Amino acid sequence: MTYVLIPGAGGSADYWHLLVDELRRRGREAVAVALPAADPHAALPEYAAVVRAAVDPHPRVVLVAQSLGAFTAPLVADHPAVRLLVLLNPMVPAPGETAGDWWAATGHGPARAAYAAAQGRDPHAGVDLAVDFFHDVPAEVTARLLDGAGEPESEAVFVGPNPLRRWPDVPTRVVTGRDDRFFPADFQRRLAVERLGVRPDELPGGHLLALSQPRRLADLLESYTRDN
């Protein structure tokens, strides 16, 4: 079984480097995909084509998609090699929904604000990478990732049409970070149940579990492959 790993916003394959190491220690093949996030003309169909090309050489694949990557993964899950789809702290899309429309449609803003207030943080604060994303990531890993940060995600992937018409007929799992400040766990749980009929599995940690909990995440992924 090969793991094909789809990053979230920014499209950097380097997000997965610790998880790739953990999976390879277990004798697994892992392919971290770099998406053309800085290309102003690249939208979901172009993202899906890049991931499909990464899947093509492998006979049996688990697709793992982080956050915004959940918009790309179901467009590739019809590939005959794909045995399982795993969504990690995901933006679970509805058929035809754009990534730009997702935020208001799901009630993300109020959910994030309520969670911040419950934790004693400013519910009206803007997004802060250190506070919302890297709060539980080791300092040396944070420095590496932020130092190598490229251009932000192109607007095309948020406004371009979403060709998804129905959820693919492939087993789907959802993994939630119990301490995710950007997509709070209760919000993720509701969305996964409403849109997929799936109750998430939870791990301790925030939005970037592949950086903060790579070993636990690898263990969980391996438990899924034993069931497929």
Side-chain angles (χ1 to χ4, degrees):
M1 190 77 76
T2 298
Y3 292 94
V4 174
L5 310 174
I6 306 171
S12 173
D14 198 33
Y15 165 70
W16 298 110
H17 73 282
L18 297 177
L19 181 63
V20 168
D21 289 346
E22 287 291 339
L23 291 171
R24 288 177 177 168
R25 286 192 193 102
R26 292 160 169 78
R28 295 295 194 179
E29 186 173 8
V31 178
V33 180
L35 296 175
D39 183 347
H41 305 293
L44 289 175
E46 288 74 26
Y47 281 27
V50 171
V51 176
R52 192 173 292 271
V55 170
D56 278 339
H58 308 286
R60 299 173 72 241
V61 164
V62 175
L63 275 183
V64 183
Q66 162 74 16
S67 194
L68 177 62
F71 268 80
T72 300
L75 303 177
V76 185
D78 63 340
H79 192 292
V82 175
R83 300 292 193 271
L84 177 67
L85 180 55
V86 181
L87 306 179
L88 179 58
N89 287 327
M91 293 175 64
V92 180
E97 181 178 68
T98 70
D101 289 338
W102 180 89
W103 309 90
T106 60
H108 168 263
R112 175 175 170 264
Y115 186 63
Q119 288 197 315
R121 294 182 287 112
D122 181 359
H124 306 295
V127 175
D128 183 303
L129 288 177
V131 171
D132 291 291
F133 293 95
F134 287 91
H135 59 94
D136 64 331
V137 176
E140 66 276 11
V141 178
T142 298
R144 168 180 169 170
L145 268 292
L146 292 183
D147 182 61
E151 295 297 320
E153 192 85 24
S154 168
E155 189 68 12
V157 78
F158 292 101
V159 301
N162 182 359
L164 182 68
R165 294 296 170 259
R166 57 184 293 273
W167 200 258
D169 293 323
V170 63
T172 302
R173 301 279 195 140
V174 177
V175 181
T176 293
R178 192 177 303 151
D179 311 301
D180 192 334
R181 294 177 176 178
F182 194 54
F183 296 163
D186 287 346
F187 166 76
Q188 290 193 50
R189 192 178 302 113
R190 171 179 62 80
L191 199 61
V193 170
E194 288 177 355
R195 294 193 164 189
L196 300 175
V198 172
R199 289 196 63 82
D201 293 312
E202 289 190 359
L203 290 177
H207 194 67
L208 305 179
L209 288 173
L211 297 176
S212 64
Q213 298 286 351
R215 185 171 299 175
R216 288 184 176 183
L217 180 55
D219 288 342
L220 183 59
L221 292 175
E222 285 288 87
S223 75
Y224 292 160
T225 64
R226 289 193 290 270
D227 298 334
N228 288 273

